Amino acid sequence: MKCVRLWARDPAMPMHDPTGGSILVVAGTHGNERHAPWLLQQWQTQPQALQRHGLEVQLVLGNAEAHRQNRRYIDRDLNRCFDPGLLEDPNAQALEVQRARELLKLYGPQGEQPALVVVDLHSTTAAMGNSLVVYGRRPADLALAAGLQQCLGLPVYLHEADQAQHGFLVECWPCGLVIEVGPVPQGVLQAAICRQTQLALEAVFAVLAAAASGQLCLPPELVVHRHLGSIDLPRHPDGTPAALLHPGLQGCDWQPLQPRDPVMVDGAGQVIALEAVLPPALAGRQRYWPLFINEAAYGEKGIAFSLTARECWALPAGAAAGLEQLAAQLRRC
Amino acid sequence: MKCVRLWARDPAMPMHDPTGGSILVVAGTHGNERHAPWLLQQWQTQPQALQRHGLEVQLVLGNAEAHRQNRRYIDRDLNRCFDPGLLEDPNAQALEVQRARELLKLYGPQGEQPALVVVDLHSTTAAMGNSLVVYGRRPADLALAAGLQQCLGLPVYLHEADQAQHGFLVECWPCGLVIEVGPVPQGVLQAAICRQTQLALEAVFAVLAAAASGQLCLPPELVVHRHLGSIDLPRHPDGTPAALLHPGLQGCDWQPLQPRDPVMVDGAGQVIALEAVLPPALAGRQRYWPLFINEAAYGEKGIAFSLTARECWALPAGAAAGLEQLAAQLRRC
């Protein structure tokens, strides 16, 4: 992909604002995703083990109690607690809501040790590979994702407009994304997953350092997999699944799927095609790209897989400049 | 492998004892292993979906409360509770100890609805494939395993003489084994894992039906992977791991390993060879076969992987005849 500069940098813009903020890296937002907390421990005891590209980085364990118990969460999913209405609700006292408030008080953009960019490290039982999740269409997020896609070829899941899933951590900072790596079982540490996580995180720092020094060079386009909706398994009245994912779909995240392709098989061995489970709002396309296929934690959310549209977007005007302006305020170390 | 009959059948032996017992199939002994309970639900609602080969089969959910909570166990691992000392200890009131007593009261060989053979269905995050676990060297177990190995080529893990791991469910019935299928994350249902589990279970019924009707024909030898011991990761004083499994070992269950092969990598990236972590009692062999590599539930047991010796055993004299005698007492349906 040709590398072009799409914007003019304002020479009056400060290269480094000492009153700015750091990059926040959150590990263990879900307590049974073990890789990022393991890496965090290594980086804290051996700071040179993480290439920070000269930027100030704060490392924090997201949900320490859930991590201690090796559970995704204690009261509720921390990565759905960053919803303004929930955070401001005095009756919301779940452990994770309190932790969300605390993280914002400490590291939020107006926090005690403010961060301007957040990277939330996750793993999944789905075969997502090394990938990025971006929430909505904030220009700085898209610019950062484009830089990472250029560096490492990472695929991007653009999550938006889903009424059932909101309140994601990264949305509370001016810029941020999720690094999502899989497949790996919950509660298991695998060296390859750690390696991929670290590669993606160091690429974030490299892109931000380039942006901070006015050296950011982005591709003109970004390939996104735009969220359309999610599909659940058919269920019995008691909530238990009445079908399994079709074995041919397992592990096929990011691969195109047509309406007549098999996606499930019921208890009697009958195959169910995608078109039979597509809600009307999602029907009518020739191809879909399924993601988060059979993620262990999504059963309770009623998600067997999500469907996306693969699209090639021109970067929004000013996205790169916006990321440069933000990155210029990042503290150096 | 040549199929031979190694024994003479006593013509006076009854072919079918109506006062005998059934085959007990236990699903969900661990509550976050989801496949067998899903299958059990299918078999209960569609009895024809399970080929029983004319034998009476009782299907039971091992740990219903742990299954409901999608946790391996509530108080302690049910598959370590079948220890006579523990079962008889009036102070042992953990939920799983009570359940073990209940299972024996209901379905034990002297229970209300007695079973003579038990099959305990498990899944694992390790790449064990479709495999069998046999506990100790009971001749009937070895004969059954030999029959299954002949039918489906299943590898056999022979677990014995481990002071740290005992009290397994199948040991409380005259004959029994574990069907262990993986890799699959905890809390996830995969159709292929279900299919493998069912294939192995139906092969158990086929072998037992052949034995019950005097048609058992076993190979002269059984290949076993005999348990030698288990290896843990090095740990920090607080118990957290100080190394990861080497990425080259992940997924390599059943594949031979030599003392100088890498098995771990520490936080500084230093590779650790097998010989560096072998306790003296296990040293001195040219090759080992690692099993249960990176099983999620074994971290808390201090097991990163187990080591076995691959051996080809002649079936013990009388093993097949013993299985025939036992199978002749199985109830028909």
Side-chain angles (χ1 to χ4, degrees):
Chain A
M1 214 174 256
K2 196 175 160 201
C3 176
V4 295
R5 290 201 61 167
L6 296 172
W7 68 100
R9 191 169 187 284
D10 177 0
M13 194 168 69
M15 288 299 291
H16 176 227
D17 176 3
T19 64
S22 67
I23 303 167
L24 178 66
V25 175
V26 185
T29 297
H30 296 136
N32 53 9
E33 299 173 9
R34 311 299 289 180
H35 299 84
W38 194 84
L39 286 165
L40 187 139
Q41 192 173 40
Q42 310 315 307
W43 300 332
Q44 285 173 327
T45 54
Q46 308 162 64
Q48 78 288 356
L50 180 65
Q51 168 56 273
R52 290 165 169 81
H53 292 271
L55 299 172
E56 185 182 302
V57 174
Q58 296 189 88
L59 304 169
V60 63
L61 189 60
N63 194 337
E65 183 54 26
H67 177 76
R68 194 184 68 73
Q69 295 190 31
N70 193 23
R71 292 166 58 184
R72 182 174 173 93
Y73 57 81
I74 304 301
D75 293 330
R76 59 186 295 167
D77 189 334
L78 175 58
N79 201 27
R80 302 295 184 278
C81 288
F82 289 82
D83 180 277
L86 184 63
L87 291 167
E88 289 160 16
D89 178 357
N91 296 319
Q93 292 300 325
L95 182 143
E96 280 81 9
V97 178
Q98 296 186 55
R99 179 58 173 156
R101 293 181 187 125
E102 184 176 53
L103 286 170
L104 286 165
K105 180 169 176 285
L106 290 171
Y107 309 108
Q110 281 81 45
E112 296 169 13
Q113 304 160 62
L116 299 178
V117 179
V118 63
V119 187
D120 192 15
L121 304 177
H122 288 257
S123 61
T124 170
T125 65
M128 292 285 281
N130 197 353
S131 63
L132 306 174
V133 189
V134 172
Y135 298 88
R137 304 183 183 204
R138 300 188 302 190
D141 294 351
L142 296 176
L144 179 57
L148 292 164
Q149 194 165 76
Q150 179 170 249
C151 283
L152 295 178
L154 302 186
V156 174
Y157 176 27
L158 188 120
H159 195 279
E160 64 178 0
D162 189 324
Q163 294 305 316
Q165 302 294 327
H166 51 84
F168 296 96
L169 182 147
V170 303
E171 295 178 294
C172 281
W173 279 261
C175 174
L177 46 71
V178 159
I179 295 171
E180 186 79 66
V181 190
V184 63
Q186 296 173 339
V188 166
L189 269 173
Q190 288 185 8
I193 302 291
C194 290
R195 181 80 187 122
Q196 291 175 81
T197 303
Q198 178 148 355
L199 276 173
L201 181 61
E202 290 179 339
V204 170
F205 301 152
V207 171
L208 290 172
S213 61
Q215 303 298 313
L216 184 62
C217 190
L218 296 184
E221 292 175 333
L222 169 68
V223 177
V224 301
H225 289 74
R226 181 171 60 83
H227 181 74
L228 299 172
S230 297
I231 305 292
D232 194 15
L233 297 170
R235 292 184 182 273
H236 295 298
D238 68 355
T240 58
L244 299 173
L245 276 178
H246 192 277
L249 186 60
Q250 182 69 43
C252 292
D253 305 71
W254 307 105
Q255 295 179 32
L257 196 60
Q258 296 181 35
R260 295 193 178 174
D261 287 340
V263 293
M264 300 172 190
V265 56
D266 72 13
Q270 291 297 308
V271 169
I272 301 169
L274 176 61
E275 60 191 359
V277 292
L278 270 180
L282 297 190
R285 293 173 177 270
Q286 290 189 327
R287 288 194 293 182
Y288 302 81
W289 281 258
L291 297 184
F292 280 111
I293 299 169
N294 223 351
E295 156 55 39
Y298 288 0
E300 70 178 20
K301 299 185 195 293
I303 299 173
F305 54 90
S306 292
L307 291 174
T308 69
R310 186 178 190 275
E311 297 172 352
C312 194
W313 290 6
L315 272 186
L323 185 62
E324 274 204 341
Q325 285 174 338
L326 187 71
Q329 299 172 58
L330 290 172
R331 288 209 186 100
R332 311 288 181 101
C333 65
Chain B
M1 215 175 253
K2 197 175 158 199
C3 175
V4 296
R5 289 203 60 165
L6 296 171
W7 68 100
R9 190 169 188 286
D10 178 358
M13 195 167 69
M15 288 298 291
H16 176 225
D17 176 2
T19 64
S22 66
I23 303 168
L24 179 66
V25 175
V26 185
T29 297
H30 296 136
N32 54 8
E33 299 172 8
R34 310 299 291 181
H35 299 82
W38 194 85
L39 286 165
L40 186 139
Q41 193 175 36
Q42 310 314 308
W43 300 332
Q44 285 172 328
T45 54
Q46 307 162 65
Q48 78 288 357
L50 180 66
Q51 168 56 273
R52 291 166 169 80
H53 291 271
L55 299 172
E56 185 181 303
V57 174
Q58 296 188 89
L59 304 169
V60 63
L61 189 59
N63 194 337
E65 182 54 26
H67 176 76
R68 196 184 66 75
Q69 295 190 32
N70 193 23
R71 292 166 58 185
R72 183 174 172 92
Y73 56 80
I74 304 300
D75 293 332
R76 58 187 296 168
D77 188 334
L78 176 58
N79 202 26
R80 303 294 185 278
C81 287
F82 289 82
D83 179 278
L86 183 63
L87 291 167
E88 289 160 16
D89 178 358
N91 295 319
Q93 292 300 325
L95 182 144
E96 280 81 7
V97 177
Q98 296 185 56
R99 179 59 174 155
R101 292 180 187 126
E102 185 177 51
L103 285 170
L104 287 165
K105 179 169 176 284
L106 290 172
Y107 309 109
Q110 280 81 46
E112 295 168 14
Q113 306 161 59
L116 300 178
V117 179
V118 64
V119 187
D120 191 14
L121 305 178
H122 289 257
S123 61
T124 170
T125 65
M128 291 286 281
N130 197 354
S131 63
L132 306 173
V133 188
V134 172
Y135 298 87
R137 305 185 183 203
R138 298 187 304 190
D141 293 351
L142 296 177
L144 178 56
L148 292 164
Q149 193 164 77
Q150 180 171 250
C151 284
L152 295 178
L154 302 185
V156 173
Y157 175 28
L158 188 120
H159 195 278
E160 64 177 2
D162 189 324
Q163 294 304 314
Q165 302 295 328
H166 51 84
F168 296 95
L169 181 147
V170 302
E171 295 178 295
C172 280
W173 279 262
C175 174
L177 46 71
V178 159
I179 296 172
E180 186 79 65
V181 191
V184 64
Q186 295 173 340
V188 167
L189 270 173
Q190 289 184 7
I193 302 290
C194 290
R195 180 81 188 123
Q196 291 174 80
T197 302
Q198 177 148 354
L199 276 173
L201 180 61
E202 289 179 340
V204 170
F205 300 152
V207 170
L208 290 171
S213 62
Q215 304 297 312
L216 184 62
C217 191
L218 295 184
E221 291 175 334
L222 170 68
V223 176
V224 302
H225 289 74
R226 179 171 61 82
H227 181 74
L228 299 172
S230 297
I231 305 293
D232 193 15
L233 296 169
R235 292 185 181 272
H236 295 297
D238 68 357
T240 58
L244 298 172
L245 275 178
H246 191 278
L249 186 61
Q250 182 69 43
C252 292
D253 304 71
W254 308 105
Q255 295 179 33
L257 195 60
Q258 296 181 36
R260 294 194 177 173
D261 287 339
V263 294
M264 299 172 193
V265 55
D266 71 15
Q270 291 296 308
V271 169
I272 302 169
L274 176 61
E275 62 190 359
V277 292
L278 270 180
L282 298 190
R285 293 174 177 268
Q286 289 189 327
R287 289 195 292 181
Y288 301 81
W289 281 259
L291 297 184
F292 281 111
I293 298 169
N294 222 353
E295 156 55 38
Y298 288 180
E300 69 178 21
K301 297 184 196 296
I303 299 174
F305 54 89
S306 292
L307 291 173
T308 70
R310 186 178 190 274
E311 296 173 353
C312 193
W313 289 5
L315 272 186
L323 185 63
E324 274 206 339
Q325 286 175 337
L326 188 71
Q329 300 172 58
L330 289 174
R331 289 208 186 99
R332 310 289 181 105
C333 66

